[in-house]
Amino acid sequence: MATPTTSFMKEVLPPVLDSTSQPPTLFDGTTRLYISYKSPFAQRTWITRNCKKNCCYGKQGLQEKIKLVPIDLQNRPAWYKEKVYPPNKVPSLEHNNEVKGESLDLIKYIDAHFEGPALLPDDPAKRQFAEELFSYIDSLNKIMFTALSSKEDVGDEVGAALDKVEDALSKFDDGPFFLGQFSLVDIAYAPFMERYQILFSDVKNYDITKGRPKLALWFEELNKIDAYVQTRRDPQELLAHTKKRLGIA
């Protein structure tokens, strides 16, 4: 398992499709990843696609093999629900004449079905811990988003949740990431942790990395990985978008 490098060219991103847009030629053999540029769930699959592409070592990359199709979630095209993915959410993946959804399932699917070094280690202990961390993230998100929406100061529950993340980053000492080396676990957490760092600083005047050196290092190392960096949006744009969604003034 190799850490993605920073050697590939910045991708020219396709325009966002809305209710006035025509659909692509569906089920023509093209693999398409339907995303929103602002969705943390979709960002997971976008990072995974970039990581596999980035590690192809001279072979045709996934930039050509998995086409991005960005959707405007505030003004969705009717054909997306009717013809592509009835749950009408992102991300979804059109591959081999099927459409699959759910971001955690999709990052594992992309890792397993496309070329490039594996994004999960073979070590059974690390794989077991990966599953534990995949299972925990929904609980973490509930705690963090609830706290952001609350008028109260940051409470002990947030601190305990972040301390659990800090402890998880301390489990393996062969690298700065959750499983030591960069993996699908980091990809699963990155879009949300990125938002928490921005939002808690702005809304609660709270630094989620204070007193958590492993988490601070994780952010530092994460931001060296081009496959992730290329999926990041402007922090102020993310801040405004997420505050609007959460109803925060």
Side-chain angles (χ1 to χ4, degrees):
M1 193 170 69
T3 299
T5 64
T6 56
S7 60
F8 63 95
M9 296 292 291
K10 185 172 179 62
E11 182 174 9
V12 177
L13 297 178
V16 176
L17 303 185
D18 62 17
S19 62
T20 66
S21 305
Q22 293 298 309
T25 307
L26 302 172
F27 305 112
D28 61 353
T30 302
T31 300
R32 298 181 176 91
L33 179 60
Y34 296 88
I35 65 168
S36 161
Y37 290 138
K38 297 178 181 178
S39 164
F41 296 97
Q43 189 179 357
R44 288 169 163 174
T45 58
W46 185 8
I47 298 166
T48 306
R49 173 258 203 185
N50 285 1
C51 284
K52 297 293 277 189
K53 177 188 82 69
N54 190 25
C55 294
C56 283
Y57 300 118
K59 300 177 182 178
Q60 184 185 33
L62 296 192
Q63 200 172 75
E64 293 302 319
K65 293 190 176 180
I66 302 180
K67 297 289 190 180
L68 293 180
V69 183
I71 299 291
D72 183 346
L73 297 183
Q74 277 65 56
N75 187 19
R76 306 176 201 213
W79 52 258
Y80 181 65
K81 179 178 181 179
E82 293 167 0
K83 299 180 178 180
V84 180
Y85 191 51
N88 205 23
K89 301 185 297 183
V90 294
S92 69
L93 182 73
E94 177 189 339
H95 183 234
N96 288 343
N97 293 317
E98 294 182 339
V99 178
K100 304 175 185 296
E102 300 302 329
S103 62
L104 287 178
D105 292 338
L106 286 180
I107 64 175
K108 295 175 185 178
Y109 182 88
I110 293 170
D111 187 33
H113 288 82
F114 293 88
E115 64 182 313
L119 292 170
L120 279 176
D122 292 329
D123 184 334
K126 289 189 174 185
R127 280 185 170 263
Q128 179 181 341
F129 192 53
E131 291 303 322
E132 292 173 15
L133 290 171
F134 289 141
S135 295
Y136 176 64
I137 193 166
D138 284 347
S139 299
L140 172 68
N141 289 341
K142 182 177 180 180
I143 291 167
M144 300 299 275
F145 281 123
T146 298
L148 283 166
S149 301
S150 169
K151 300 294 185 184
E152 304 298 324
D153 291 337
V154 174
D156 292 343
E157 195 174 17
V158 167
L162 290 169
D163 287 346
K164 186 165 182 173
V165 172
E166 178 77 5
D167 290 343
L169 287 165
S170 304
K171 186 172 179 68
F172 299 105
D173 60 5
D174 55 334
F177 299 105
F178 283 104
L179 304 184
Q181 302 303 304
F182 186 79
S183 74
L184 289 182
V185 178
D186 304 289
I187 291 171
Y189 277 74
F192 294 95
M193 298 305 296
E194 169 191 352
R195 284 159 176 77
Y196 299 147
Q197 187 176 40
I198 296 167
L199 284 158
F200 272 87
S201 176
D202 179 87
V203 177
K204 301 293 186 181
N205 193 29
Y206 181 83
D207 178 1
I208 67 170
T209 66
K210 186 175 182 181
R212 302 181 182 96
K214 295 285 188 181
L215 182 56
L217 178 61
W218 181 79
F219 274 115
E220 182 181 331
E221 294 301 315
L222 184 68
N223 283 304
K224 296 176 183 177
I225 296 177
D226 211 19
Y228 159 70
V229 171
Q230 291 204 16
T231 70
R232 290 182 58 188
R233 308 302 290 173
D234 177 82
Q236 291 305 312
E237 179 187 353
L238 268 188
L239 185 63
H241 174 75
T242 312
K243 285 171 73 172
K244 184 177 179 181
R245 279 184 60 87
L246 294 175
I248 300 171

